Amino acid sequence: MKIIAFTFAGGNKHSFQIIAKNIENFTVIEYPGRGFRMGEDLITDIDSLIEDLFQKVKSEISQHQDYIIYGHSMGALLGYLLCQKIEELGFQKPAKLVVSGRKPPVTKRENLFCHLPDNLFWDEVVKIGGIPDELINNQELIEFFTPILKADLTIVEVYKYQKKNKLNIPIDVFYGSEESTEDEMQGWEEESNEKISITQMKGNHFFIFKHATFFTQYFKNLTQKLTI
């Protein structure tokens, strides 16, 4: 059983290392413009990004018939949209979609700041949390990551929900207690004909890292259960 993962805005293939380091077949799909894809242009159009990522996922699916798709925040949205595309095109669908740190796709984003000047944009990014101190205080790194974060957040902020057929994939949803409420997360129940599980975890937007041990064991257990 393979886990195909998609990171939050500004992330790369190492972003889930604290969770995935002891899990076999945990693959993080690299977005254009970073990591080993640094030489490629950043993408700000969500349809173009989904097509790009689908081409990467296609090869992973062909190698492993049984797989799970996981995404956090921006990655949760991308994972959801990829599941739509996979089902629409008749490819082998994942055994489960796992999303964290993301309200239902139908939810309109309230705090928009991808259009702000770089200094104000960075202030808003820091407020979200999850930025290491060494990055916050390093102007060179800030200048390097700002275009990447702006491109990713443009994807998230410009996205407009389109009503399509429900997925036929079970979904496990996790959210931080400091970021969302149970009522806000209920909309995920409208996105699939299969079982939807919604779980609150203590913490802010990046609660997954405070509960890294839990998620490592969760994914290990999940792959074992679905393989049996």
Side-chain angles (χ1 to χ4, degrees):
M1 179 71 70
K2 189 178 190 69
I3 299 169
I4 302 174
F6 299 90
T7 71
F8 42 85
N12 59 43
K13 68 175 185 177
H14 302 294
S15 295
F16 293 136
Q17 188 171 5
I18 191 173
I19 294 171
K21 60 184 177 181
N22 295 317
I23 302 176
E24 293 183 5
N25 293 324
F26 193 113
T27 298
V28 182
I29 304 298
E30 193 86 275
Y31 304 148
R34 71 213 71 193
F36 67 84
R37 302 187 67 184
M38 184 67 69
E40 301 178 36
D41 292 337
L42 293 165
I43 294 178
T44 57
D45 174 72
I46 195 163
D47 292 330
S48 298
L49 182 57
I50 291 298
E51 180 59 32
D52 174 277
L53 298 178
F54 176 69
Q55 296 305 317
K56 304 296 184 294
V57 169
K58 234 180 10 176
S59 62
E60 297 291 343
I61 294 173
S62 64
Q63 295 172 21
H64 296 81
Q65 184 175 8
D66 297 322
Y67 68 100
I68 298 164
I69 284 183
Y70 166 60
H72 181 78
S73 190
M74 170 187 173
L77 175 62
L78 297 177
Y80 160 78
L81 293 173
L82 280 164
C83 283
Q84 282 188 341
K85 191 175 186 72
I86 287 167
E87 285 205 311
E88 287 172 359
L89 296 179
F91 280 76
Q92 175 67 31
K93 64 186 179 182
K96 181 166 285 196
L97 169 63
V98 182
V99 297
S100 59
R102 170 74 197 192
K103 293 178 182 178
V106 70
T107 306
K108 292 183 179 179
R109 190 176 174 92
E110 297 178 357
N111 189 15
L112 306 179
F113 50 87
C114 68
H115 63 285
L116 293 174
D118 288 355
N119 60 327
L120 298 179
F121 171 82
W122 192 257
D123 289 343
E124 294 297 325
V125 169
V126 171
K127 290 177 185 178
I128 296 174
I131 305 296
D133 291 340
E134 59 268 26
L135 177 53
I136 293 175
N137 300 313
N138 188 315
Q139 187 59 37
E140 185 175 346
L141 287 177
I142 289 173
E143 291 175 1
F144 174 79
F145 278 105
T146 295
I148 296 173
L149 282 164
K150 274 199 168 185
D152 289 354
L153 287 170
T154 297
I155 290 283
V156 174
E157 294 181 8
V158 173
Y159 167 72
K160 293 183 179 179
Y161 180 78
Q162 295 182 6
K163 185 66 175 178
K164 295 186 177 182
N165 292 335
K166 291 184 179 182
L167 298 175
N168 293 293
I169 301 167
I171 307 176
D172 283 0
V173 180
F174 296 92
Y175 70 98
S177 60
E178 298 172 20
E179 182 179 39
S180 304
T181 65
E182 184 176 354
D183 287 345
E184 289 176 324
M185 303 304 290
Q186 292 301 312
W188 276 108
E189 295 183 349
E190 302 301 318
E191 297 301 333
S192 178
N193 293 312
E194 300 294 328
K195 182 179 179 181
I196 311 291
S197 172
I198 301 175
T199 303
Q200 182 192 85
M201 306 289 289
K202 188 173 182 179
N204 60 18
H205 184 63
F206 287 99
F207 65 92
I208 57 172
F209 297 121
K210 291 185 178 181
H211 300 280
T213 301
F214 167 86
F215 280 102
T216 297
Q217 195 58 52
Y218 162 80
F219 281 116
K220 284 184 177 180
N221 293 342
L222 189 58
T223 55
Q224 289 171 1
K225 289 177 182 178
L226 293 175
T227 301
I228 297 174

